[in-house]
Amino acid sequence: MTDTLIDRRELAFQLYDMQNVESLCERSEYADHSRETFESALDTAEQIAKELFAPHNRLADEQEPTFDGKTVSMRPEVKVAFDAVAEAGFIAGREDYELGGMQLPESVMSACMSLFTAANPSTAAYPFLTMAAAGVVKNFASATLREQFLPKMLAGRFTGTMALTEPHAGSSLADIRTKAVLADDGTYRIQGNKVFISGGDHELSDNIVHLVLAKIEGAPVGVKGISLFLVPKFLLDENGEPAQRNDVALAGLFHKLGYRGTTSTALNFGENNQCVGYLIGEPHRGLSYMFQMMNEARLGVGMGGAAIGYRGYQLALDYAKGRPQGRLPSASDPSTDPVAIINHADVKRMLLAQKAYAEGALSLCFYGARLIDDAHTASGSEKEQAQLILDLLTPILKAWPSEFGPKANDLAIQVHGGAGYTREYDAELCWRDNRLNPIHEGTNGIQSLDLLGRKVWQQQGQGLQLLHKTMMDTIANSHEQFALWGEQLKQTLGKIAQVTTVIAKHIQKDPDHGLANSHAYLSMLGHTVVAWLWLKQANVAQQKMSQVKTPQERAFYAGKIQAAQYFYVWELPLVERDVAVLLSMDGTCISMQEDWF
Amino acid sequence: MTDTLIDRRELAFQLYDMQNVESLCERSEYADHSRETFESALDTAEQIAKELFAPHNRLADEQEPTFDGKTVSMRPEVKVAFDAVAEAGFIAGREDYELGGMQLPESVMSACMSLFTAANPSTAAYPFLTMAAAGVVKNFASATLREQFLPKMLAGRFTGTMALTEPHAGSSLADIRTKAVLADDGTYRIQGNKVFISGGDHELSDNIVHLVLAKIEGAPVGVKGISLFLVPKFLLDENGEPAQRNDVALAGLFHKLGYRGTTSTALNFGENNQCVGYLIGEPHRGLSYMFQMMNEARLGVGMGGAAIGYRGYQLALDYAKGRPQGRLPSASDPSTDPVAIINHADVKRMLLAQKAYAEGALSLCFYGARLIDDAHTASGSEKEQAQLILDLLTPILKAWPSEFGPKANDLAIQVHGGAGYTREYDAELCWRDNRLNPIHEGTNGIQSLDLLGRKVWQQQGQGLQLLHKTMMDTIANSHEQFALWGEQLKQTLGKIAQVTTVIAKHIQKDPDHGLANSHAYLSMLGHTVVAWLWLKQANVAQQKMSQVKTPQERAFYAGKIQAAQYFYVWELPLVERDVAVLLSMDGTCISMQEDWF
């Protein structure tokens, strides 16, 4: 099997050619950085990914973590990999120098993380969860809590979790029942049950910092009564070291389809009424804190979908090049040698679709990462505009790659034929791992409701207008040879505007019907944005083509243009169905009755 | 979890209302049968499926067969289930009374088998493979071989396999290297290696009858030099009982993504040059014998895709009805009780899509089964016409259900949310099991080449013309309220004719380009045929609606009409993309170069 995770040529194209990440170095935050320091971070990430993540990817799947009632055991390679990521500084990679960080932009951190995920998604989850939890502690916890927990989290000595979901309430956070009671010492006693908590128990770190959503006694009903608590597995002693066990018990591990190396836990908080929790920020504002982190975590999920999709594509490509079988219809004489299957038109179709999905998803995620960088460190209207588009696109950054990454993996299995159905090849492992991404951090159905029920209308719809304008600018500045694609995209944009107007009229008076086809809206806008990014990729490739020095470079750019063509001929037309469903306010699904099923 | 496998109401609708299977009883072959005897066979099958197949479905996945170098071990429940199927007479279910059979039509046998597959696909594979192999022995083997092997196969004492695939040649049978040398006693010595042989070793039966493709020394190159051999695991003694071990060795078991209870084997024939094989039929005609069986096996694969798709739909439906979570957009007050998730529009969409795929696939497979019955037992032009359409549609009978059954299973996981990603629920097991169906018995890519490279043009294209006419008849006789769907279907049929004419022009002079988009052709025709069958289902439902006696019956027919509407609004329009690609003879995929990937 090939050891290519995400081709560095591809990462460089997305970072430098597409997103011009070098220009970030002009900002004071990144003034010490340069393409060289970015590449050096990527070199380190790639080396760790190849040497310490990839080799136990299959092993961690075959020998998933176990719980003997006291301790969770897992393959020892996981801790080695986790420690290497921490020691190389990646958990603090985004953070300021004063926190011991590398002060790297999100774009570059995303690229580094994509390498870990492509190599071994379930081991990568541990540092990722810790980074996300550390971000919440940094931004919202009191100075005391920050001091106690943040440095150890950023160093990888403490890991983190996000404890939102409860058995009776998955997506519906309004209904959580975990409660918090103020104790005399100003801390809280937490009581409740959480499920599907990734990384909720293990022996990888000295302590686990759970960020727990709970309701303080007497809080308002619904999401407005949710507070956020820091609940450590071990309470700290006077030296800040983990000491007494807190009243958090592992009730059991879930056994999953994929991502098996990541413990997914059921946790009981306060079985003995002794679970100490520390309030983060103000009471009842927990959800907004969690969501600031969650929105960026959603880009992480999208990047996961893209990275695993891309890894599967590389596996299929490698197999197709090396597997001789059959002959072309025009030269079917059985006395001649068979050709490698990459020569068969239908295999090319499956590989080209994977390329279009995986590299399209990568380009979407790197666009999202650049928006985060701009929302954080640009100034004036550039900053505002980045935030506007980022808010609008967050559901798509999560949902599109997590839908099309797995589709790519499905095709990767198919390219392998019978071999793809065996566990001797990793295409099936990619497919199983990637199946989590459309579900966690808000199912794609929830993303579609977030998009059409909220994001499209925020700030009087300025986000969508700005995105529209951005895409029209690309069309106007495209190479002449892509004019037809530009016209096709322009027409689609017109239809999206029309659809949005129609829905705006209905959504007020009948929100159920107005939102009924939200998934079609998500698909339509997602496919359109990716089509736009493929036009941009083709434009960049065309421009670079005139300066190429090697046949390899020429082939790389030619491939980009061909994949863009694939997207315009084979993919964008599928949006027509969504447009038709949405324009007609089709009621087929919503009018289906329970007893008719 | 619900114990519904395939709802008997649904099976009755497909068999009696759609395919009028009762009318088969007018033919002499089925004169002893009636709806009552058919239902009695189904009752028996359902009981065995529920009591002996379903309970170990998960167990057989978790504890897959093992090989200690001498013997294959597996869960004991598999043999109990296999024996029950044999004892109930199902292995001989299709066969004549004189062979101890039940002389049941294919339509009814398919329905019985769909229940076994829905309950436990990997255990169901053992009787299925035996039936298929027995069919070849019956039709093509010498009287002596038939006498020796057939009764024991039909009784389930001997099981069967199909040994086609070799390590270096998966789909490319022209390249097989297994060789056969004539011995002095008139038998052959077989030498070669076969892989992915399902049921290739186990202890379920007293003997295993391998049907092996091999080339006799000096045979023509390519598929015209392939002969078929019967190679038993144990040679028979003078009493016809298994005695000496033949020189067939199990080299190892493949470890698969799903279908884990079915052994998938690598077999070495003639390691000691002692492997005895008996020629079936004439030399060099092996492939045509195998394909007569294979074509009907392809319907079996389609039915597998449909049955597992349907089972997953029932699991998702059951979960969606019983899982309270969230509220409707129009009534989001968090102090009110949450609703069952089946009330959410996007969950309805996912369930309706599953219904449209699974019941559409079932209707396609039962149409196929009825064609087989007519090709076997009708007379005159009815028989000829059935054979014509059956030949044309065989690639679609295999490919469409095996593509859309797994799509339904993907949605079943999504409806379950986080629970769907755990192995505590069976949606993920359905999804893994069903992933085999697009691969085996000829990948769906191979099916598309068979369709566009061969079947469409057979008999001067009479099959397609006849299918066209059949569909136009349905349109002409549709209920008025479905006139728009009829019009939509008619327009699609016009486009298919146009596309076919365009391809006909190109395929002679440039077969590579002419066949390049064969998968799009398969998708286009497959979706159109299923749309036609949904119009038929709606027509039947509408007609029955006037005679309903209970609210349950009314709901059943209303659901059929709503699913048909779903197919016309959400699915059939997707064919436009395929039409456009095909009409323009799009060269995007075929012109992609290896080094551009």
Side-chain angles (χ1 to χ4, degrees), chain A residues 46-121:
Chain A
E46 188 175 27
Q47 192 184 356
I48 294 172
K50 286 192 173 175
E51 293 177 5
L52 300 176
F53 276 71
H56 71 284
N57 189 31
R58 174 63 71 175
L59 268 180
D61 179 75
E62 287 174 347
Q63 299 170 28
E64 62 189 337
T66 55
F67 177 49
D68 63 7
K70 293 185 100 175
T71 310
V72 173
S73 307
M74 63 175 72
R75 294 283 321 174
E77 294 89 344
V78 181
K79 184 163 168 56
V80 175
F82 177 81
D83 288 347
V85 170
E87 276 159 34
F90 284 109
I91 296 179
R94 291 183 186 86
E95 309 303 333
D96 292 352
Y97 300 131
E98 64 200 35
L99 286 168
M102 295 199 272
Q103 218 156 307
L104 281 168
E106 178 64 32
S107 303
V108 177
M109 279 301 295
S110 284
C112 293
M113 299 197 304
S114 74
L115 292 163
F116 300 134
T117 302
N120 186 330

Side-chain angles (χ1 to χ4, degrees), chain A residues 64 166-172 174-175 196 221-223 253-260 313 317 321 323-331 333-336 338 342-343 345-346 348-349 351-352 355 410-411 413-414 417-424 428 431-436 438-439 443-445 448-449 511-512 515-520 551 554-556 558-560 562-563 565-566 569-571 573-574 577-578 581 586-597, chain B residues 64 166-172 174-175 196 221-223 253-260 313 317 321 323-331 333-336 338 342-343 345-346 348-349 351-352 355 407 410-411 413-414 417-424 428 431-436 438-439 443-445 448-449 511-512 515-520 551 554-556 558-560 562-563 565-566 569-571 573-574 577-578 581 586-597:
Chain A
E64 62 189 337
E166 301 187 5
H168 67 289
S171 306
S172 183
D175 296 312
F196 301 143
V221 293
V223 293
L253 298 177
F254 290 97
H255 298 99
K256 303 194 297 300
L257 167 58
Y259 256 94
R260 292 192 187 177
Y313 162 52
L317 185 56
K321 285 178 180 174
R323 171 76 177 168
Q325 199 182 135
R327 292 159 192 85
L328 298 187
S330 61
D333 176 355
S335 67
T336 61
I342 197 169
N343 293 288
D346 195 54
K348 289 185 184 185
R349 173 187 66 85
L351 291 170
L352 199 46
K355 183 178 170 73
D410 184 71
L411 291 167
I413 292 177
Q414 196 68 17
Y421 200 66
T422 70
R423 308 202 296 276
E424 272 92 76
E428 66 86 24
W431 187 66
R432 285 190 288 113
D433 284 343
N434 219 350
R435 187 63 188 80
L436 179 59
I439 297 173
T443 64
N444 287 0
S448 75
L449 288 171
D512 295 341
L515 288 170
N517 299 322
S518 58
H519 195 273
R554 177 175 297 281
F556 178 85
K560 283 288 177 193
Q562 195 82 358
Q565 178 175 326
Y566 176 85
V569 176
W570 289 75
E571 292 294 329
L574 296 174
R577 189 276 310 264
D578 297 319
V581 160
D586 178 59
T588 307
C589 298
I590 198 173
S591 64
M592 182 71 179
Q593 302 298 304
E594 180 171 337
D595 61 344
W596 295 359
F597 279 111
Chain B
E64 63 189 339
E166 300 186 5
H168 67 287
S171 305
S172 183
D175 295 312
F196 301 144
V221 293
V223 294
L253 298 177
F254 290 97
H255 298 100
K256 303 194 297 301
L257 167 59
Y259 257 94
R260 292 193 187 176
Y313 162 52
L317 185 56
K321 285 178 179 173
R323 171 74 177 169
Q325 199 183 134
R327 292 160 192 84
L328 299 187
S330 61
D333 176 355
S335 66
T336 61
I342 197 170
N343 293 288
D346 195 54
K348 288 184 184 186
R349 173 186 66 83
L351 291 169
L352 199 46
K355 183 178 168 75
K407 274 198 211 300
D410 184 70
L411 290 168
I413 292 177
Q414 196 68 17
Y421 200 67
T422 70
R423 309 202 296 276
E424 272 91 76
E428 66 86 26
W431 187 66
R432 285 190 288 114
D433 284 342
N434 219 349
R435 187 64 188 80
L436 179 60
I439 298 172
T443 63
N444 287 0
S448 75
L449 288 171
D512 295 341
L515 288 171
N517 299 321
S518 58
H519 195 271
R554 176 174 297 281
F556 179 85
K560 282 289 178 195
Q562 195 83 358
Q565 178 176 324
Y566 175 85
V569 175
W570 289 75
E571 292 294 329
L574 296 174
R577 189 276 311 263
D578 297 319
V581 160
D586 178 60
T588 308
C589 298
I590 199 173
S591 64
M592 182 71 179
Q593 301 299 304
E594 180 172 337
D595 61 344
W596 295 359
F597 280 110

Side-chain angles (χ1 to χ4, degrees), chain B residues 91 95 129-139 150 153-154 160 211:
Chain B
I91 296 179
E95 309 303 333
L129 288 162
T130 303
M131 289 180 213
V136 174
V137 174
K138 183 183 72 172
N139 291 327
L150 188 58
M153 293 177 83
L154 293 177
L211 300 183

Side-chain angles (χ1 to χ4, degrees), chain B residues 250-549:
Chain B
L250 176 60
L253 298 177
F254 290 97
H255 298 100
K256 303 194 297 301
L257 167 59
Y259 257 94
R260 292 193 187 176
T262 310
T263 53
S264 178
T265 61
L267 296 177
N268 295 345
F269 294 87
E271 279 179 340
N272 305 305
N273 209 11
Q274 304 275 324
C275 179
V276 177
Y278 308 99
L279 181 67
I280 292 182
E282 294 171 32
H284 316 323
R285 297 201 45 205
L287 206 61
S288 72
Y289 306 146
M290 196 60 114
F291 263 88
Q292 290 194 39
M293 180 277 299
M294 191 74 121
N295 279 330
E296 299 193 6
R298 286 178 170 169
L299 171 64
V301 172
M303 187 61 96
I308 305 172
Y310 188 92
R311 169 67 180 156
Y313 162 52
Q314 292 300 313
L315 292 169
L317 185 56
D318 185 56
Y319 185 84
K321 285 178 179 173
R323 171 74 177 169
Q325 199 183 134
R327 292 160 192 84
L328 299 187
S330 61
S332 59
D333 176 355
S335 66
T336 61
D337 283 341
V339 299
I341 61 171
I342 197 170
N343 293 288
H344 297 304
D346 195 54
V347 174
K348 288 184 184 186
R349 173 186 66 83
M350 293 191 280
L351 291 169
L352 199 46
Q354 288 173 70
K355 183 178 168 75
Y357 296 157
E359 296 178 9
L362 284 174
S363 75
L364 178 63
C365 292
F366 283 109
Y367 175 59
R370 171 74 206 222
L371 288 172
I372 291 176
D373 282 324
D374 287 344
H376 287 176
T377 59
S379 52
S381 72
E382 192 182 359
K383 183 185 175 91
E384 275 169 36
Q385 294 189 348
Q387 189 68 54
L388 265 176
I389 296 187
L390 178 63
D391 286 344
L392 173 71
L393 287 187
T394 292
I396 287 172
L397 295 174
K398 192 271 178 182
W400 199 93
S402 73
E403 185 172 342
F404 287 88
K407 274 198 211 300
N409 293 144
D410 184 70
L411 290 168
I413 292 177
Q414 196 68 17
V415 167
H416 282 76
Y421 200 67
T422 70
R423 309 202 296 276
E424 272 91 76
Y425 291 83
D426 276 357
E428 66 86 26
L429 180 55
C430 291
W431 187 66
R432 285 190 288 114
D433 284 342
N434 219 349
R435 187 64 188 80
L436 179 60
N437 287 316
I439 298 172
H440 69 162
E441 308 293 348
T443 63
N444 287 0
I446 295 286
Q447 300 303 323
S448 75
L449 288 171
D450 182 43
L451 178 68
L452 190 58
R454 194 178 299 130
K455 298 298 173 64
V456 165
W457 320 110
Q458 273 181 351
Q459 313 251 21
Q460 297 83 46
Q462 283 181 60
L464 193 59
Q465 289 159 32
L466 186 58
L467 180 66
H468 185 103
K469 187 184 167 304
T470 309
M471 296 200 245
M472 290 298 283
D473 286 349
T474 303
I475 295 168
N477 296 306
S478 284
H479 282 267
E480 207 176 328
Q481 70 184 97
F482 308 136
L484 281 177
W485 303 345
E487 186 52 37
Q488 195 183 339
L489 182 58
K490 197 168 146 186
Q491 285 183 14
T492 309
L493 292 177
K495 288 170 191 165
I496 291 175
Q498 212 183 335
V499 160
T500 309
T501 309
V502 167
I503 296 174
K505 273 188 217 149
H506 283 79
I507 209 163
Q508 295 292 338
K509 59 174 190 270
D510 186 353
D512 295 341
H513 192 183
L515 288 171
N517 299 321
S518 58
H519 195 271
Y521 194 93
L522 178 81
S523 295
M524 173 189 72
L525 190 56
H527 242 48
T528 304
V529 170
V530 175
W532 163 59
L533 289 167
W534 268 116
L535 179 59
K536 282 192 83 149
Q537 293 193 69
N539 279 328
V540 171
Q542 185 60 33
Q543 188 190 328
K544 294 274 171 185
M545 195 76 104
S546 56
Q547 315 152 16
V548 295
K549 295 197 184 70

Side-chain angles (χ1 to χ4, degrees), chain B residues 29-177:
Chain B
E29 291 84 349
Y30 308 120
D32 292 346
H33 280 297
S34 63
R35 181 157 174 167
E36 285 65 39
T37 64
F38 294 162
E39 287 297 294
S40 154
L42 282 162
D43 288 344
T44 306
E46 187 175 27
Q47 193 184 355
I48 293 172
K50 285 192 173 177
E51 292 176 7
L52 299 177
F53 276 71
H56 72 284
N57 189 32
R58 173 64 70 174
L59 267 179
D61 178 75
E62 288 173 347
Q63 298 170 29
E64 63 189 339
T66 55
F67 177 50
D68 63 6
K70 294 185 96 174
T71 309
V72 172
S73 307
M74 63 176 71
R75 293 285 320 175
E77 294 89 343
V78 180
K79 183 163 170 58
V80 176
F82 177 82
D83 288 347
V85 170
E87 276 158 34
F90 285 108
I91 296 179
R94 292 183 186 86
E95 309 303 333
D96 292 351
Y97 300 130
E98 64 201 35
L99 286 169
M102 295 198 270
Q103 217 156 308
L104 282 168
E106 178 64 32
S107 302
V108 177
M109 278 301 295
S110 284
C112 293
M113 298 197 304
S114 74
L115 292 163
F116 299 135
T117 302
N120 185 330
S122 64
T123 293
Y126 296 105
F128 289 6
L129 288 162
T130 303
M131 289 180 213
V136 174
V137 174
K138 183 183 72 172
N139 291 327
F140 306 108
S142 67
T144 312
L145 284 175
R146 268 214 307 273
E147 204 173 300
Q148 288 175 307
F149 290 95
L150 188 58
K152 294 194 177 71
M153 293 177 83
L154 293 177
R157 276 198 59 205
F158 292 3
T159 50
T161 77
M162 299 180 278
L164 288 75
T165 307
E166 300 186 5
H168 67 287
S171 305
S172 183
L173 293 172
D175 295 312
I176 64 165
R177 291 179 195 150

